[in-house]
Amino acid sequence: MTSNTTSSVYWFNWRVLLCAIWVLITATFSFILIWTYEALRKSNQDNGETQKETAGSLHEDDTWRPSFKGIHPAWLLAFRLVAFFVLLTLLIVATFVDGGSIFYYYTQWTFTLITIYFGIGSVLSMHGCYLYHKRVSGDKVDNVELDAEQGSYEGAVCEETSNTAAKNPECAQAQGLSAAQPAGTWGYVFQIIFQMNAGAVLLTDCVFWFIIVPFLEIKDYNLSVLAINMHTINAVFLLADTAFNCLRFPCFRIAYFFLWTVIYVIFQWLVHAGVNVWWPYPFLDLSSSYAPLWYFSVALMHFPCYGVFALVIKLKHQAFSRWFPESYQCVR
């Protein structure tokens, strides 16, 4: 701790002002993206334009449907349940070993977020398994008769591509796209948390392995097995779920990733304004003359972290649609 964070001198200076400007610009940019795209999607739903696709559109079965037709939704449910309980167990153990102070770190915030993601995903997959069971039983779900063998909605035969089909109600029904059934609130919450995790997990793991670990190695500090696991298994579970889910990845939702970090930074500022405690990460310390540069650099890191995951999604669509053209069913 280099200075008293509760003193007015610490906060009223050009460094804090510049860092505050970075945070304000980031928050404003995020709110503009959310207002522009989410408001458009909500407007289309309010006007009854359920068939019209927008950048933020999500179908109900996108949250629980596996990426391949031959895979039963119960397998995705089983994986999400395992991931949820493993992550929850690690979080409880870490809290028991190191105390509640671990939630002082961005890592634990993100780890909690990904645990919540798999918890919500498990519940949505349970609901999806129920719908799938009704489908193969030949019953009607929400007054839409479904084909039992193909696992798709009945409709006219369509020769269009999946992108065209997503815009055409008849083609959407023929190819199994539930265009008439947009996702509910929890479906969108689930997708948003997925995209927040996409950037946050990469950010925390990259900072840990490429910045913090080399610094600790210089100090001859031995990392605990628990710390290594918490900065590895989160990415493994998220990438595995990404490979086998059908969630879309609209790039404008990087805004939520930015806001997640902004909320953490503001939380740290409020804590340090009231209590003179150490900073969880040295680059957050506002007493350094390099603080504005550090804050700006971390903000810029959000783009490659989120971009890498977006690239992973794109490569997934290209590879799976090429290798398994008949069974791959995610909207591209």
Side-chain angles (χ1 to χ4, degrees):
M1 187 172 0
T2 57
S3 59
N4 185 358
T5 61
T6 60
S7 65
S8 59
V9 177
Y10 185 89
W11 295 99
F12 293 98
N13 56 71
W14 67 271
R15 299 183 304 273
V16 177
L17 176 61
L18 201 53
C19 290
I21 291 175
W22 297 151
V23 172
L24 181 60
I25 291 175
T26 302
T28 303
F29 169 72
S30 301
F31 282 122
I32 290 175
L33 282 179
I34 293 172
W35 178 266
T36 301
Y37 290 96
E38 297 289 20
L40 175 62
R41 174 185 62 80
K42 187 68 168 58
S43 176
N44 286 339
Q45 288 188 351
D46 291 342
N47 294 333
E49 299 178 14
T50 57
Q51 305 293 348
K52 187 175 181 179
E53 293 286 321
T54 64
S57 295
L58 183 71
H59 298 154
E60 182 186 30
D61 60 351
D62 288 341
T63 61
W64 55 264
R65 182 181 57 178
S67 52
F68 298 99
K69 293 179 181 177
I71 299 179
H72 194 285
W75 286 107
L76 185 58
L77 167 62
F79 169 76
R80 286 174 171 173
L81 283 172
V82 170
F84 172 69
F85 283 111
V86 169
L87 293 172
L88 183 61
T89 300
L90 283 175
L91 193 61
I92 293 173
V93 171
T95 305
F96 179 79
V97 172
D98 299 320
S101 61
I102 63 170
F103 295 100
Y104 197 49
Y105 292 91
Y106 187 81
T107 297
Q108 268 62 44
W109 279 44
T110 301
F111 202 88
T112 302
L113 186 66
I114 195 172
T115 304
I116 293 173
Y117 165 78
F118 280 108
I120 297 175
S122 298
V123 174
L124 292 175
S125 286
M126 290 178 189
H127 177 66
C129 286
Y130 165 75
L131 295 180
Y132 185 84
H133 173 71
K134 300 290 287 184
R135 173 182 302 179
V136 298
S137 299
D139 294 335
K140 293 183 178 181
V141 179
D142 294 335
N143 296 323
V144 179
E145 188 172 354
L146 303 170
D147 184 282
E149 295 182 358
Q150 299 298 327
S152 60
Y153 300 99
E154 288 188 348
V157 176
C158 181
E159 301 294 336
E160 302 291 339
T161 63
S162 58
N163 286 333
T164 303
K167 302 176 182 178
N168 186 304
E170 293 183 353
C171 294
Q173 289 182 338
Q175 295 192 16
L177 302 175
S178 52
Q181 299 182 60
T185 300
W186 281 108
Y188 281 104
V189 169
F190 180 63
Q191 185 191 32
I192 289 170
I193 294 178
F194 169 67
Q195 296 194 248
M196 290 167 63
N197 277 312
V201 167
L202 283 184
L203 180 62
T204 53
D205 288 358
C206 286
V207 169
F208 179 78
W209 289 109
F210 298 116
I211 297 179
I212 297 177
V213 170
F215 175 78
L216 294 178
E217 287 293 330
I218 295 175
K219 301 293 183 179
D220 294 326
Y221 180 84
N222 293 323
L223 291 171
S224 66
V225 176
L226 184 61
I228 294 174
N229 286 336
M230 294 191 75
H231 288 87
T232 305
I233 199 169
N234 56 353
V236 172
F237 278 140
L238 185 62
L239 288 172
D241 189 79
T242 301
F244 294 104
N245 70 35
C246 278
L247 287 175
R248 308 182 189 195
F249 201 84
C251 290
F252 79 87
R253 288 206 173 109
I254 190 177
Y256 294 98
F257 175 31
F258 274 120
L259 288 178
W260 177 250
T261 305
V262 165
I263 291 172
Y264 176 78
V265 170
I266 293 176
F267 165 77
Q268 287 295 331
W269 287 1
L270 292 175
V271 169
H272 284 82
V275 184
N276 185 30
V277 294
W278 47 273
W279 289 93
Y281 303 101
F283 49 81
L284 289 178
D285 189 353
L286 295 165
S287 65
S288 171
S289 58
Y290 295 103
L293 181 60
W294 272 114
Y295 275 71
F296 183 70
S297 300
V298 171
L300 289 181
M301 285 179 63
H302 285 63
F303 288 104
C305 288
Y306 195 83
V308 166
F309 210 95
L311 179 61
V312 169
I313 298 290
K314 184 176 181 179
L315 292 176
K316 164 196 165 182
H317 290 324
Q318 291 181 345
F320 287 173
S321 60
R322 181 180 304 171
W323 297 339
F324 313 101
E326 300 299 325
S327 61
Y328 188 64
Q329 58 182 348
C330 294
V331 176
R332 298 180 284 279

